[in-house]
Amino acid sequence: MDKTETARVLFSVDWTQVTLGVEFGSTRVKAVAVDPEGAIVAVGGYTWENQLVNGVWTYALDEILHALQAAYAALAGDVKKRYGAAPSTFAAIGISGMMHGFLALDADDTLLTPFQTWRNSNTEEAADQLTEALHFAMPLRWTGSHLFQRVLDGAEYVKDLAFVTTLSSYIHYRLTGEKVVGAGEASGIFPLAADGGDYDADRLATFDALLASYDVPWTARELFPVVHRAGEEAGRLTAEGALLLDPSGALHEGIPFCPPEGDAGTGMVATNAVKPGTGNCSAGTSAFAMLVLERPLAHVMREIDLVATPEGLPVAMAHANNGTTDINHWAALFSDFARRIHADVDMDQVFETLFEAAGEGDRDAGGLLSYGYYSGEGITHVNEGRPLFAQEENARFTLANVFRAHLYSVLACVKMGLDQLKESEGIAIQSMLGHGGLFRTKGVAQQALADAIEAPVTVLAHATEGGAWGSALLARYMLERAHYADLGDFLAHVFEHLEADTLEPQADGIAGWKAYMERYEKGLRIEEEAIAALD
């Protein structure tokens, strides 16, 4: 690119009209810059991985802040390469992060205990007590469950708590100074009120009464971030926040922020699944399916989480802690084998080959069985993880069946949750939109999901960056809120011209899932024995 072309391209982008989304995923932190029509103009990323430290799945605070800076630096570098100079401003910014978990700070903003991610299931006692007291199914990974468990444990630092929140809310606080959270993410902290605009006041009072019996010097309301709906401004970039995000000093303060959201909320946005009756399934390090409800649920079900859209509409979620981690490890094994025989293949080729093989497997996975349990699994009531692979006598042990079993393992708990929702509530799944790394190979996971839920599954054929793109869209929606009836109306405009591919469920696939799930549920005894034996 010569100097004349550089100048022409540089002035073709007005950064005061570009929104920035940053998402802290489980394996990658992404930064995406988006123009007013939703098209991506620049990207950046940073790869990381959680660590199991003293029995806790966590990321170190220094690593969290380094990841933020590295992802933004990569985006700024992409901008400079494409347009000639790093940006000094944006129209607005949105932050997203892996939902739920527990970040606890004192009055001086000191982190009192290592960040506990959604992956931790060390809160069963608290979740059980809260479920009974609140008449609401409290998941183990929710921030409120973590908080109460630390009280039950008698943790020394509990008396010093001043702010308890999630990862996206924490990053937002560091950048803006505002202790706030989006409605979707708030619904993974504590149950929301019926209108989705705040925590449920009656349940919060019940929770505070429970806490008072342990003589804590605060209330939950005092610790939790303030709830904001999508479309509301939730703070502005401070001078300190600008230097934290961009230590080069190029980025200016004063940029408005939309409310910080969890990856569930931004996933709904990125798949246009925010209106009642719509749904999506995300499959990455974790796997979950979400249905925006048209009516309240009649029953309390531990297998189903009641969360919310970024606007506060009620959502039923079937969440599995364990997603594609086991598949990734098996793919790395085959990549190592390829390297050892001097085969010139990259990981993309390995994944594509293995997923294509899975598509050719027997519909019931040939008598094979996989549990990719790297951590506990709430839907199956297993509180620790031991990945294992088993096979029936006379099983058909082929590459295709091995990877179909692994693929089914990613979706099995999600299917169990959705089946429970259909049976207990009579909710029919009309269709679902799939996104995440599992759906990258065309048609394979998409067909498996359609067969699992017995409904059509659509995958969008557009170049987005998932939740980071969703965060940038939420930032845009905040700027244009006055022009649209609601978030769904705004997204209809964004998605109007995007291509999509839909697959219908197949009878042999439905039958194959039934056979696999019978084997899967019986085989949970093997997982329990593995936990006891492999301590």
Side-chain angles (χ1 to χ4, degrees), residues 313-496:
L313 298 178
V315 174
M317 171 193 279
H319 182 280
N321 279 352
N322 299 282
T324 59
T325 300
D326 203 36
I327 284 182
N328 294 342
H329 288 180
W330 280 77
L333 182 73
F334 278 87
S335 177
D336 183 37
F337 173 76
R339 178 185 61 80
R340 290 172 184 273
I341 62 171
H342 308 291
D344 184 19
V345 295
D346 60 25
M347 284 303 297
D348 286 343
Q349 291 175 284
V350 171
F351 276 112
E352 185 173 1
T353 299
L354 295 175
F355 270 84
E356 287 177 347
E360 299 167 2
D362 295 328
R363 301 302 95 165
D364 68 345
L368 305 181
L369 186 60
S370 171
Y371 294 95
Y373 285 21
Y374 282 78
S375 62
E377 197 57 78
I379 285 179
T380 53
H381 308 289
V382 175
N383 290 330
E384 295 182 47
R386 302 292 187 276
L388 62 86
F389 189 86
Q391 54 182 310
E392 293 179 335
E393 186 179 7
N394 299 320
R396 294 174 294 282
F397 193 87
T398 65
L399 182 67
N401 283 337
V402 166
F403 272 84
R404 178 165 286 267
H406 289 322
L407 173 58
Y408 280 6
S409 178
V410 175
L411 299 172
C413 285
V414 172
K415 174 176 169 56
M416 290 175 72
L418 292 176
D419 286 347
Q420 181 76 352
L421 189 65
K422 289 189 289 185
E423 292 167 10
S424 298
E425 296 287 334
I427 293 177
I429 301 174
Q430 302 298 326
S431 64
M432 192 163 285
L433 215 151
H435 69 116
L438 193 71
F439 299 97
R440 186 172 179 179
T441 299
K442 184 176 175 59
V444 179
Q446 183 181 2
Q447 186 65 61
L449 179 61
D451 296 339
I453 66 173
E454 301 181 33
V457 172
T458 298
V459 173
L460 294 168
H462 58 84
T464 71
E465 288 292 335
W469 185 64
S471 293
L473 290 183
L474 283 172
R476 171 60 55 187
Y477 176 61
M478 177 187 69
L479 300 175
E480 300 185 9
R481 174 69 183 88
H483 303 298
Y484 295 94
D486 53 26
L487 179 59
D489 186 33
F490 166 74
L491 292 178
H493 166 73
V494 173
F495 281 75
E496 185 177 6

Side-chain angles (χ1 to χ4, degrees), residues 59-374:
Y59 300 82
L61 181 57
D62 288 347
E63 178 73 355
I64 291 171
L65 299 180
H66 172 71
L68 172 67
Q69 294 172 348
Y72 181 79
L75 177 131
D78 187 39
V79 169
K80 190 172 183 179
K81 180 179 178 181
R82 294 192 194 200
Y83 309 108
S88 61
T89 192
F90 294 95
I93 298 176
I95 301 296
S96 173
M98 55 191 87
M99 55 189 169
H100 319 311
F102 183 69
L103 275 152
L105 289 81
D106 66 12
D108 297 321
D109 291 338
T110 300
L111 191 67
L112 295 173
T113 186
F115 167 44
Q116 297 215 20
T117 76
W118 54 270
R119 205 167 195 173
N120 291 287
S121 53
N122 54 358
T123 60
E124 184 174 23
E125 181 183 3
D128 286 346
Q129 288 193 32
L130 289 175
T131 295
E132 182 177 357
L134 303 177
H135 305 290
F136 183 95
M138 282 291 290
L140 276 66
R141 66 187 180 281
W142 279 22
T143 308
S145 295
H146 279 281
L147 173 61
F148 192 41
Q149 188 66 55
R150 303 295 87 80
V151 172
L152 295 177
D153 293 343
E156 178 64 24
Y157 62 80
V158 162
K159 67 181 187 306
D160 298 319
L161 289 172
F163 184 36
V164 166
T165 196
T166 64
L167 182 58
S168 64
S169 174
Y170 172 75
I171 295 298
H172 181 99
Y173 172 55
R174 291 296 301 266
L175 296 175
T176 67
E178 300 290 339
K179 295 180 178 179
V180 301
V181 68
E185 181 77 325
S187 69
I189 293 176
F190 194 78
L192 294 186
D195 67 0
D198 198 359
Y199 306 112
D200 185 300
D202 291 339
R203 289 189 169 107
L204 203 57
T206 300
F207 187 28
D208 280 331
L210 276 174
L211 292 166
S213 65
Y214 292 89
D215 197 30
V216 296
W218 38 256
T219 66
R221 168 73 73 179
E222 291 169 336
L223 298 187
F224 290 159
V226 175
V227 181
H228 284 265
R229 288 189 178 97
E232 298 175 0
E233 184 176 313
R236 289 182 174 256
L237 186 66
T238 63
E240 296 82 1
L243 282 174
L244 176 62
L245 182 58
D246 181 15
S248 75
L251 191 63
H252 297 167
E253 63 183 290
I255 302 170
F257 276 65
C258 66
E261 272 296 345
D263 54 2
T266 53
M268 284 186 266
V269 172
T271 54
N272 193 18
V274 298
K275 288 187 174 183
T278 61
N280 71 359
C281 179
S282 173
T285 305
S286 65
F288 53 88
M290 309 180 71
L291 296 174
V292 185
L293 297 174
E294 297 177 327
R295 59 173 174 80
L297 297 183
H299 305 88
V300 175
M301 292 181 287
R302 293 303 298 268
E303 297 83 4
I304 297 296
D305 300 354
L306 281 180
V307 292
T309 71
E311 282 188 310
L313 298 178
V315 174
M317 171 193 279
H319 182 280
N321 279 352
N322 299 282
T324 59
T325 300
D326 203 36
I327 284 182
N328 294 342
H329 288 180
W330 280 77
L333 182 73
F334 278 87
S335 177
D336 183 37
F337 173 76
R339 178 185 61 80
R340 290 172 184 273
I341 62 171
H342 308 291
D344 184 19
V345 295
D346 60 25
M347 284 303 297
D348 286 343
Q349 291 175 284
V350 171
F351 276 112
E352 185 173 1
T353 299
L354 295 175
F355 270 84
E356 287 177 347
E360 299 167 2
D362 295 328
R363 301 302 95 165
D364 68 345
L368 305 181
L369 186 60
S370 171
Y371 294 95
Y373 285 21
Y374 282 78

Side-chain angles (χ1 to χ4, degrees), residues 46-62:
Y46 174 79
T47 299
W48 67 347
E49 185 58 75
N50 56 188
Q51 302 295 321
L52 185 61
V53 180
N54 297 323
V56 172
W57 290 103
T58 188
Y59 300 82
L61 181 57
D62 288 347

